[in-house]
Amino acid sequence: MPKILSVNAGSSSLKFKLYAMPAETVIISGLVDRIGHSDAVFTYNYQGTHYKKALAVQNHTEAVQLVTDALLASGAVRDKQEIVGIGHRVAHGGREYTQTTKITPVVQQKIADLATISPLHNPVNLLGIEAFEKLLPSASEVAVFDTSFHSTIPPKAYMYALPFEYYAKYGIRRYGFHGQSHQYIYSEVNRRYDQDFSRKIISCHLGNGASVCAIRDGKSVNTSMGFTPLAGLVMGTRSGDVDPNVLPFIAEKENFSAADIRQLLNHQSGLLGISGVSNDVRDVLQAEADGNDRAKLALQIYVHQIQSYIAAYTADLGGLQTLVFTAGVGEHSAPIRERVCAAFGYLGVKIDAEANQDNDLDISAADSRVKVLVIPTNEELVIARETEKVLDS
Ligand code: ADP
């Protein structure tokens, strides 16, 4: 069976999963964390055994070396050539890449060029691509873009009402992210349920980063992230939507540069910024329970923003059949799901308190007019599927 490696390279981490396709069996999976530090950690799981080692890992090439060595040493592969394809998560595909794409020097250059609009992610995605190119040269490399699933969003939803020349010159528009996750959610709803539940879906990916996606007949028709992954929902440390005029106002008052503003919006805002407690929903819920008013306010804003997008996207879809929660918060936080759903009695949304508490797959009450689901996301599997599809074509 062909083996496909799914890779998600972040600024200081590298996650991997090796699949036997088309069976979609996970052979080995792991993570190099704290890349660039002397106390990095390499963990992997193979045949029920958990392996963990603390060591210095200077850069992504060293991390990839560790991974390729472990693939052989563990027995997951006998020969590197067994790995026919490597699918890389790439954050931004811009206007060019509306589909998964085989990596060539031209594609690599384009991914590098797109760093102007994705400075935090595209350069590190590229580091992963380059390192695997050196260490597993026989495997075909494929780029699976976060933005591609959203290429079906219509212009009325992706254009900003700025002077048109900025769209023409710089490609400034909504792109959307978390595409692999929302795509996976659609595939799971479609696999498990019939058309009465799979034609009008709202997928809420609530992790450290968070986005909502409206999916009609398997296609993204709107999503809350925008030109960058900063827009939309309140996130752990990201602001989500704010009146754009607030930014020059703060810049002038505080004498901030563009970089200072970016730092403020990406790293000091969101749940952390409002609560002053933490970016982690669990900590903020605990602080709220302890009587912290700012934690309570932060959660109210967080939930309200999710509700606003669900309401708007119900209009985009002309109704709602299935509401899905996924990612860290969506999969594990019963109180957040309960609070979000509480606003939608008028749509006939009703959840079963016990099923919700247990994080069951189907948390809707028997008489709910909308199905409410909790589905653990699986971005790596979408990367492997997409890679297989490109290699077969
Ligand atoms: P990322 O967006 O980095 O991929 P995840 O999807 O794993 O992250 O989500 C991480 C976040 O999920 C954490 O920051 C935390 O806020 C939240 N989380 C995880 N478990 C729980 C839980 N049991 N209750 C509430 N929030 C949780």
Side-chain angles (χ1 to χ4, degrees):
M1 264 195 221
K3 291 174 181 160
I4 289 182
L5 189 64
S6 185
V7 175
N8 185 351
S11 54
S12 64
S13 69
L14 190 132
K15 284 189 218 156
F16 68 96
K17 245 184 205 181
L18 183 68
Y19 287 92
M21 299 299 277
E24 302 186 344
T25 323
V26 177
I27 303 169
I28 181 171
S29 65
L31 165 73
V32 186
D33 209 1
R34 296 184 58 74
I35 296 172
H37 295 86
S38 54
D39 59 344
V41 184
F42 179 39
T43 50
Y44 67 79
N45 291 301
Y46 178 64
Q47 293 190 334
T49 307
H50 184 71
Y51 170 96
K52 181 171 180 179
K53 189 173 179 188
L55 73 176
V57 179
Q58 301 301 333
N59 51 43
H60 283 73
T61 308
E62 285 188 22
V64 172
Q65 183 74 59
L66 277 175
V67 172
T68 48
D69 288 350
L71 291 174
L72 287 164
S74 63
V77 297
R78 265 165 301 168
D79 188 313
K80 284 182 184 178
Q81 309 237 349
E82 289 171 29
I83 301 171
V84 295
I86 307 173
H88 292 270
R89 179 178 184 180
V90 178
H92 219 306
R95 281 182 290 189
E96 289 75 13
Y97 299 116
T98 56
Q99 285 185 353
T100 299
T101 305
K102 207 160 166 184
I103 294 170
T104 62
V106 173
V107 174
Q108 265 167 290
Q109 185 53 51
K110 195 70 214 168
I111 293 170
D113 294 345
L114 285 163
T116 53
I117 55 176
S118 177
L120 298 180
H121 299 103
N122 275 34
V124 291
N125 301 150
L126 204 52
L127 288 177
I129 291 169
E130 287 163 355
F132 274 104
E133 196 176 24
K134 265 191 237 139
L135 293 167
L136 280 180
S138 58
S140 299
E141 291 195 290
V142 166
V144 186
F145 299 95
D146 267 54
T147 47
S148 299
F149 182 61
H150 302 300
S151 65
T152 45
I153 293 177
K156 66 177 179 184
Y158 76 60
M159 287 301 289
Y160 297 126
L162 294 168
F164 191 82
E165 67 190 88
Y166 296 106
Y167 169 70
K169 253 206 285 198
Y170 304 120
I172 294 178
R173 50 160 281 184
R174 178 188 309 282
Y175 288 100
F177 298 85
H178 290 144
Q180 299 88 348
S181 178
H182 295 304
Q183 186 174 341
Y184 179 76
I185 294 307
Y186 170 71
S187 72
E188 277 300 284
V189 176
N190 187 50
R191 181 174 75 80
R192 292 168 184 273
Y193 301 98
D194 65 24
Q195 287 224 325
D196 291 344
F197 298 107
S198 63
R199 299 198 59 207
K200 296 174 181 182
I201 301 170
I202 293 180
S203 164
C204 304
H205 177 111
L206 310 177
N208 230 329
S211 68
V212 183
C213 180
I215 306 169
R216 188 193 293 124
D217 295 324
K219 293 188 167 65
S220 170
V221 294
N222 210 345
T223 194
S224 57
M225 284 178 166
F227 179 59
T228 73
L230 179 64
L233 302 179
V234 175
M235 307 180 215
T237 61
R238 285 177 241 169
S239 63
D241 297 339
V242 292
D243 176 348
N245 247 340
V246 168
L247 311 177
F249 182 90
I250 295 178
E252 282 165 14
K253 288 280 180 205
E254 303 275 330
N255 204 14
F256 278 1
S257 65
D260 295 332
I261 291 286
R262 239 181 253 127
Q263 171 73 13
L264 176 91
L265 294 172
N266 281 291
H267 302 292
Q268 293 159 243
S269 300
L271 287 173
L272 173 69
I274 302 163
S275 70
V277 173
S278 168
N279 64 312
D280 191 312
V281 166
R282 287 165 292 197
D283 300 337
V284 186
L285 281 165
Q286 185 56 53
E288 179 195 48
D290 295 340
N292 182 323
D293 285 339
R294 268 174 55 190
K296 182 176 173 182
L297 176 64
L299 290 167
Q300 285 172 341
I301 302 168
Y302 180 84
V303 167
H304 179 252
Q305 190 74 336
I306 299 168
Q307 290 168 336
S308 302
Y309 273 98
I310 293 174
Y313 290 176
T314 300
D316 256 319
L317 293 171
L320 176 62
Q321 294 172 328
T322 300
L323 177 64
V324 186
F325 291 94
T326 192
V329 182
E331 291 166 27
H332 302 291
S333 184
I336 296 297
R337 291 192 300 256
E338 185 192 328
R339 292 178 199 189
V340 169
C341 290
F344 297 108
Y346 74 94
L347 285 179
V349 171
K350 240 191 207 179
I351 61 170
D352 179 292
E354 204 179 311
N356 185 41
Q357 204 52 49
D358 294 345
N359 301 322
D360 283 356
L361 165 70
D362 186 347
I363 61 169
S364 19
D367 57 345
S368 181
R369 286 210 303 276
V370 174
K371 198 163 270 309
V372 186
L373 303 176
V374 178
I375 299 179
T377 196
N378 195 342
E379 290 151 312
E380 298 84 2
L381 181 55
V382 169
I383 293 169
R385 285 176 181 167
E386 286 283 306
T387 302
E388 186 186 32
K389 219 165 49 185
V390 165
L391 295 184
D392 284 351
S393 64

